Amino acid sequence: MSQHVRKAIIPVAGFGTRFLPATKAMPKEMLPIIDKPVIQYVVEEAVASGITDIILVTSHAKRPVEDHFDDNMELEMWLKKQGKKDLLEEIQRISKLANFIYVRQKGPYGNATPVQNAAHLIGDEPFAVMFGDELFSNKVPRLKQMIDVYEKYNDPVFGVIETDDYGTKRYAIIDPASKVEDRVYQLKGVVEKPGPEKAPSHLAAIGSYVLTPDIFDAIKHLKPGHGGEYILADAISSLMKKRPVYACELEGEYFDTGSKIGWLKANMVMALRRPDLANEMKDVIKSLHRTSL
């Protein structure tokens, strides 16, 4: 299999309970990083990596996500009338980022389910999976790094980051069989949240994958895993019995915007990197230090 990776599945059907009550009526993926929702950053990264088709797996509560990537003629007409050319161009650009496809999530609980829901849209092609509440900051997008590994080996690829002992309790941890080149490992297993005593490494699998269509058969045969969930990483682990699976240790800065601290950190770091906000943000940080919060 040597096709280019053109499609990305982004599951966005979760409740976002860690951000309640803010997410009672607003999807967690629409929480802003300054003036742009998290999900837009994820989509822009996918597009910058060569993705043309974005498959958003949604629920009845995620209509604002769909609306965000649609045209808004009333708003566009108002911006044009007000002479706000830059904002108008920015708003019009959003709906043209990619070909957007929406699928409702149906099936058992777990992150393997939304991937299976989109199987009929993938066909016999490799594809990416990214979660709508994780950001990565680097000159070379995280997904592009992973696609480069896929195109070299033509086998599934995990995106991984180095973590500490606490991270081994929060993330699935890869068990490398061998290091095949700089920052690339062939895997022999993945352990779900093992803790520091049982962790086979300190490389954590985050929500980024490049997969091949045989994953769908593996998902069909899954049994409930950690917490009774149907876990995508478990399905990928079963593929290791049939074919090589690799991990790409990602270069860049990772933000888990699905956590309160991760979301706050992302806002602060992104503000410090914007010319229109950096100086004021530095003043805010200095002020906080002086008040000894």
Side-chain angles (χ1 to χ4, degrees), residues 65-287:
V65 175
E66 299 181 27
D67 289 344
H68 182 72
F69 293 107
D70 198 0
D71 293 325
N72 186 331
M73 297 307 298
E74 184 178 359
L75 175 60
E76 291 175 23
M77 289 176 63
W78 185 85
L79 291 171
K80 185 176 181 179
K81 184 177 180 180
Q82 297 296 316
K84 299 180 182 292
K85 183 180 178 182
D86 291 346
L87 279 176
L88 176 61
E89 291 176 352
E90 174 64 18
I91 292 299
Q92 290 175 329
R93 183 183 70 87
I94 295 170
S95 63
K96 296 178 175 64
L97 282 169
N99 177 34
F100 292 97
I101 305 161
Y102 303 96
V103 178
R104 286 289 178 93
Q105 180 165 324
K106 298 177 182 179
Y109 189 65
N111 61 20
T113 294
V115 176
Q116 191 72 3
N117 289 159
H120 65 290
L121 297 168
I122 297 300
D124 190 28
E125 296 183 44
F127 63 99
V129 176
M130 305 169 75
F131 290 108
D133 58 3
E134 294 186 337
L135 300 186
F136 226 85
S137 177
N138 195 57
K139 289 182 179 179
V140 180
R142 141 213 32 193
L143 184 56
K144 179 65 167 63
Q145 296 176 49
M146 297 170 60
I147 289 173
D148 287 345
V149 174
Y150 168 78
E151 290 183 344
K152 186 170 185 178
Y153 297 99
N154 289 318
D155 286 300
V157 181
F158 275 87
V160 301
I161 58 170
E162 188 171 357
T163 191
D164 55 16
D165 283 352
Y166 176 66
T168 64
K169 301 176 184 178
R170 296 184 61 213
Y171 303 107
I173 303 298
I174 66 164
D175 187 0
S178 62
K179 187 174 184 178
V180 296
E181 60 177 280
D182 185 40
R183 308 186 79 87
V184 179
Y185 304 83
Q186 186 171 341
L187 303 186
K188 61 180 178 182
V190 182
V191 185
E192 186 68 27
K193 302 176 183 177
E197 294 81 12
K198 297 182 179 180
S201 73
H202 277 76
L203 292 172
I206 60 171
S208 305
Y209 311 89
V210 176
L211 300 174
T212 46
D214 48 353
I215 190 64
F216 298 121
D217 187 62
I219 292 174
K220 286 180 183 178
H221 293 91
L222 266 183
K223 295 181 179 179
H226 186 82
E229 299 181 33
Y230 288 78
I231 305 296
L232 181 59
D234 292 344
I236 301 171
S237 293
S238 71
L239 285 183
M240 295 179 198
K241 301 172 184 177
K242 303 176 182 178
R243 65 183 303 168
V245 174
Y246 295 90
C248 172
E249 185 179 355
L250 299 166
E251 296 185 84
E253 190 168 8
Y254 169 69
F255 302 98
D256 177 9
T257 61
S259 72
K260 295 181 180 74
I261 292 298
W263 178 78
L264 288 167
K265 180 182 176 182
N267 272 279
M268 292 181 66
V269 171
M270 294 299 184
L272 288 168
R273 292 177 182 172
R274 278 183 47 162
D276 61 326
L277 297 174
N279 289 336
E280 289 183 75
M281 191 69 227
K282 290 175 184 176
D283 289 342
V284 169
I285 293 171
K286 289 177 184 177
S287 175

